C-alpha cells in the first residue's frame, strides 16, 4: 500500500529573504550582516552576493503563480529585517512592509497558506556594529521588530515562526566564522545562543500581544541527530557533549525552561554564563503551538585521539570550531551516498528526530520546516530539468515521515527546501537545492522533475513512487 498522509497535512516549500529577494538597495532597505559578509573578499565562494539573488522582489507574482501551478498549499518565507526596519531600531518603512503585504495577498488569492519566519539570519548591520547577538539589547530590538511585522500582517498571516536555525546564527556566525558576521569568538557564540533564545521568548510575547487569538507560534530548530561511532564511554561522552551544544542549548530552555547542567560544566573554562539573568528562562519558555524541525543529515562523533579532533561536521571549513568546549571531539563522514553538499543521505535520522521530540515534548505538534538536497542539475537539450536523485532523496525521507506518523508522531506539515535554486549562503550560487531550476543569467524559472513529483504528492496526499 502506498504511504498516505492526513488530509489536513501542509505541503509547502520554503525560502529565505536574502537568498531570493535581491533588490538590496531598494525601498529604504539598508545592509544586513549578509550584505557585508558576502561583499568581503574570500567569504563566499566565487565572490557571489545576494545583491540580485533570483530577483524575487520583482518577480513575486510570477513565483507565487509557479507555486500554485505545482499544487502546494503552504509557503514558508522570511521577512527581511533591514527591509522593514532598516537600522533595527525605530519605525517601520512602509515600502518594505508593502512588499510582504503584497506577497501575502498573492498567496491567499491562490489558496496558499503563508507561514512567516521573522528571522532567517539577516540581522541589520547597524545592530551588529553595536555588538550583534552577543549583546542583550539585540534580543529586545528583535521583539520590537516582531511587533512591527505582527501589526502589519497579523490580520492575514496565522502561522508565525520566530527564528530559523539559531544554532547557525550563533555558532557559524560567531564561532567558526563561516557565516555572517564572520566572527570567531567561542564566548561570543555562547552569548549569542542565549540572546537568540531570549529574543525568541521576547518576540513570542510580543506576537501574542499583537496577533489574533487563533494565531500559531513556532520556532524552527536544526537539531543534530548525533550518533556515537562506538559504544565506548569516551565516544558516548563525545555524543553527549555535542548533543548539548547542538540541541539541548536551544530545546531545553524553549521547551523546559532550563539549560543543561552538563553544558555549563563543559564550557566552564570559557564562561560563567553570568549573561543569563534571573527571569530569562521563564521568558524563553513561552508556550508554542508547534515545533519546526529542519533535517538534512546525521552526525557521527567520537572522542579524539588527541586534543583537537578532526571536524568533518558538514558545516564548512574554518580554523575555528563552532563547538565551544568540544575540541576533543572528532566528527566522521557517515558511510553511504552523499548529496552535492557532501552530506550523507540517511532518512532514519529524520525518523529518529521526530520520535525524539515526540517524547521530549508530548502534545506539541511537529513540522518539518526544511528538508531537501543539493545536486548538480542541468537542463536537457529540450530545456527540461530531470533530477531523479532528488526525487529518490525526497521519497526516502517522506517515507520516514509517514512511518513516524504511524508510530505516534504528530507531524502536521512538510516544507521542501527549497522552492527554487538561490544564493546558498557561503557556497554562493554553486549549490542547487531548488525544486525549480533558475538560469542565473536570464533568471528564467523551470520546474524540475522533482517539482512535478512533489506537486502530485501535495495534491493527492499519496506518496508517489520514485524513478526506477
Amino acid at each position: 500500500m502506498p504511504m498516505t498522509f492526513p488530509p489536513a497535512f501542509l505541503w509547502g516549500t520554503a525560502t529565505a529573504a536574502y537568498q531570493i529577494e535581491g533588490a538590496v538597495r531598494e525601498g529604504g532597505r539598508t545592509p544586513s550582516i549578509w550584505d557585508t559578509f558576502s561583499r568581503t573578499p574570500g567569504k563566499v565562494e566565487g565572490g557571489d552576493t545576494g545583491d540580485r539573488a533570483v530577483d524575487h522582489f520583482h518577480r513575486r507574482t510570477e513565483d507565487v503563480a509557479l507555486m500554485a501551478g505545482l499544487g502546494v498549499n503552504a509557503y514558508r518565507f522570511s521577512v527581511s529585517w533591514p527591509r522593514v526596519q532598516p537600522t533595527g531600531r525605530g519605525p517601520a518603512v512602509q515600502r518594505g512592509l508593502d512588499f510582504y503585504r503584497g506577497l501575502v495577498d498573492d498567496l491567499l488569492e491562490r489558496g496558499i497558506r503563508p507561514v512567516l519566519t521573522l528571522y532567517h539570519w539577516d540581522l541589520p548591520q547597524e545592530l551588529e556594529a553595536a555588538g550583534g547577538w552577543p549583546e542583550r539589547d539585540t534580543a529586545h530590538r528583535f521583539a520590537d521588530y516582531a511587533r512591527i511585522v505582527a501589526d502589519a500582517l497579523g490580520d492575514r498571516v496565522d502561522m508565525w515562526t520566530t527564528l530559523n536555525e539559531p544554532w547557525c546564527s550563533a555558532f557559524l556566525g560567531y564561532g567558526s566564522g563561516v557565516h555572517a558576521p564572520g566572527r570567531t569568538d567561542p564566548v561570543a557564540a555562547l552569548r549569542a545562543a542565549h540572546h537568540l533564545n531570549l529574543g525568541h521568548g521576547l518576540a513570542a510575547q510580543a506576537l501574542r500581544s499583537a496577533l489574533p487569538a487563533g494565531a500559531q507560534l513556532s520556532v524552527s530548530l536544526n537539531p543534530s541527530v548525533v550518533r556515537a561511532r562506538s559504544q565506548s564511554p569516551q565516544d558516548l561522552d563525545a555524543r553527549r557533549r555535542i548533543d548539548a551544544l547542538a540541541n539541548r542549548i536551544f530545546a531545553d530552555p524553549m521547551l523546559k525552561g532550563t539549560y543543561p547542567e552538563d553544558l555549563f560544566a563543559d564550557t566552564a573554562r570559557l564562561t560563567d554564563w553570568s549573561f543569563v539573568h534571573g527571569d530569562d528562562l521563564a521568558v524563553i519558555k513561552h508556550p508554542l503551538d508547534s515545533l519546526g524541525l529542519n533535517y538534512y543529515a546525521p552526525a557521527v562523533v567520537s572522542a579524539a585521539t588527541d586534543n583537537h579532533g578532526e571536524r568533518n561536521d558538514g558545516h564548512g571549513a574554518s580554523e575555528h570550531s563552532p563547538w565551544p568546549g568540544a575540541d576533543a571531539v572528532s566528527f566522521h563522514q557517515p558511510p553511504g551516498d552523499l548529496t552535492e553538499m557532501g552530506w550523507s543521505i540517511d532518512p532514519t535520522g529524520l525518523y529518529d528526530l521526530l520520535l525524539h521530540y515526540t517524547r521530549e515534548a508530548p502534545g506539541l505538534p511537529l513540522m518539518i520546516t526544511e528538508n531537501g538536497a543539493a545536486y548538480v542539475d542541468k537542463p536537457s537539450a529540450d530545456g527540461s530539468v530531470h533530477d531523479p536523485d532528488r526525487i529518490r532523496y525526497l521519497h526516502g525521507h517522506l517515507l520516514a515521515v509517514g512511518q513516524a506518523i504511524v508510530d505516534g508522531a504528530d507531524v502536521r506539515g512538510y516544507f521542501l527546501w527549497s522552492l527554487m535554486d538561490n544564493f546558498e549562503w557561503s557556497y554562493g550560487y554553486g549549490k542547487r537545492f531548488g525544486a525549480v531550476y533558475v538560469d542565473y543569467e536570464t533568471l528564467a524559472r523551470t520546474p524540475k522533475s522533482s517539482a512535478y513529483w512533489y506537486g502530485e504528492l501535495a495534491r493527492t496526499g499519496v506518496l508517489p513512487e520514485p524513478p526506477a
Side-chain angles (χ1 to χ4, degrees):
M1 290 288 292
M3 181 69 72
T4 302
F5 289 81
F9 202 80
L10 287 181
W11 294 107
T13 58
T15 63
Y18 188 72
Q19 293 183 271
I20 66 167
E21 285 182 3
V24 297
R25 297 178 182 88
E26 294 188 35
R29 184 189 181 278
T30 58
S32 74
I33 54 175
W34 270 97
D35 293 280
T36 302
F37 185 80
S38 65
R39 294 171 193 161
T40 303
K43 296 298 185 182
V44 174
E45 290 185 14
D48 293 336
T49 74
D51 285 5
R52 185 175 74 154
V54 295
D55 199 32
H56 173 70
F57 186 81
H58 297 113
R59 297 167 182 256
R60 178 195 82 212
T61 302
E62 172 191 348
D63 291 338
V64 173
L66 187 61
M67 283 182 257
L70 295 177
V72 298
N73 59 21
Y75 175 50
R76 178 177 175 250
F77 65 96
S78 77
V79 172
S80 168
W81 189 347
R83 194 177 294 285
V84 304
Q85 194 192 29
T87 66
R89 303 176 189 275
V93 171
Q94 293 304 317
R95 288 174 295 172
L97 285 171
D98 284 345
F99 170 75
Y100 298 105
R101 291 186 179 106
L103 172 62
V104 168
D105 288 346
D106 287 349
L107 292 167
L108 293 174
E109 287 172 8
R110 296 281 191 162
I112 300 171
R113 191 173 186 177
V115 180
L116 187 153
T117 299
L118 285 167
Y119 187 73
H120 200 134
W121 306 353
D122 48 359
L123 184 72
Q125 179 60 40
E126 288 200 24
L127 290 185
E128 173 58 26
W133 284 111
E135 295 302 317
R136 187 178 187 86
D137 184 62
T138 304
H140 291 277
R141 302 287 70 74
F142 181 59
D144 292 345
Y145 155 68
R147 180 64 186 252
I148 286 172
V149 181
D151 287 343
L153 299 174
D155 60 333
R156 284 162 286 181
V157 177
D158 66 354
M159 296 188 72
W160 293 75
T161 301
T162 54
L163 304 172
N164 178 78
E165 297 187 358
W167 185 88
C168 294
S169 296
F171 294 107
L172 301 184
Y174 294 94
S176 67
V178 300
H179 278 193
R183 289 162 61 179
T184 54
D185 179 346
V187 177
L190 292 168
R191 291 174 60 91
H194 175 65
H195 294 136
L196 283 154
N197 281 335
L198 181 62
H200 157 76
L202 292 169
Q205 290 181 340
L207 293 173
R208 290 285 186 207
S209 69
L211 295 174
Q216 299 181 35
L217 302 190
S218 185
V219 65
S220 286
L221 304 180
N222 60 318
S224 181
V225 178
V226 190
R227 293 168 174 167
R229 189 172 63 166
S230 80
Q231 294 301 299
S232 73
Q234 295 83 3
D235 287 0
L236 291 174
D237 189 65
R239 183 204 172 278
R240 175 204 60 77
R241 190 177 290 262
I242 298 304
D243 179 58
L245 283 168
N247 303 328
R248 290 180 283 128
I249 191 173
F250 297 107
D252 280 16
M254 290 181 183
L255 300 178
K256 303 175 182 178
T258 61
Y259 275 112
E261 289 297 327
D262 60 326
L263 173 67
F264 291 161
D266 291 343
T267 57
R269 66 178 177 82
L270 297 172
T271 178
D272 62 3
W273 288 77
S274 57
F275 46 82
V276 180
H277 294 188
D279 63 348
D280 285 2
L281 287 163
V283 173
I284 295 167
K285 189 194 174 188
H286 190 94
L288 296 174
D289 300 297
S290 66
L291 176 64
L293 302 172
N294 297 353
Y295 173 81
Y296 293 96
V300 177
V301 301
S302 71
T305 55
D306 54 33
N307 289 331
H308 293 280
E310 63 178 299
R311 192 165 59 79
N312 194 347
D313 62 3
H315 293 301
S318 172
E319 295 179 359
H320 302 273
S321 172
W323 306 103
D327 290 340
V329 174
S330 284
F331 289 78
H332 305 277
Q333 178 68 66
D337 293 335
L338 305 176
T339 70
E340 182 65 14
M341 294 292 290
W343 298 344
S344 65
I345 302 170
D346 189 347
T348 67
L350 181 53
Y351 174 87
D352 290 348
L353 191 68
L354 292 170
L355 269 292
H356 172 78
Y357 281 98
T358 296
R359 296 188 296 269
E360 282 289 293
L364 184 64
L366 305 175
M367 295 268 190
I368 297 95
T369 41
E370 285 185 27
N371 178 238
Y375 288 102
V376 178
D377 303 315
K378 297 180 180 179
S380 302
D382 63 359
S384 61
V385 183
H386 299 289
D387 55 344
D389 288 339
R390 181 174 288 105
I391 295 175
R392 284 188 283 268
Y393 176 99
L394 296 175
H395 182 266
H397 285 77
L398 285 160
L399 271 180
V401 174
Q403 190 58 53
I405 293 172
V406 170
D407 293 343
D410 183 9
V411 187
R412 303 287 181 89
Y414 176 95
F415 291 81
L416 169 64
W417 186 268
S418 176
L419 169 63
M420 53 190 163
D421 299 331
N422 54 49
F423 177 82
E424 187 50 42
W425 307 113
S426 58
Y427 296 95
Y429 296 98
K431 308 294 184 186
R432 294 180 179 270
F433 276 88
V436 174
Y437 181 87
V438 178
D439 181 321
Y440 292 129
E441 293 297 321
T442 66
L443 297 181
R445 278 86 155 125
T446 303
K448 304 173 189 177
S449 298
S450 61
Y452 296 114
W453 181 90
Y454 186 66
E456 179 185 347
L457 170 59
R459 288 188 296 272
T460 66
V462 179
L463 186 62
E465 286 300 311

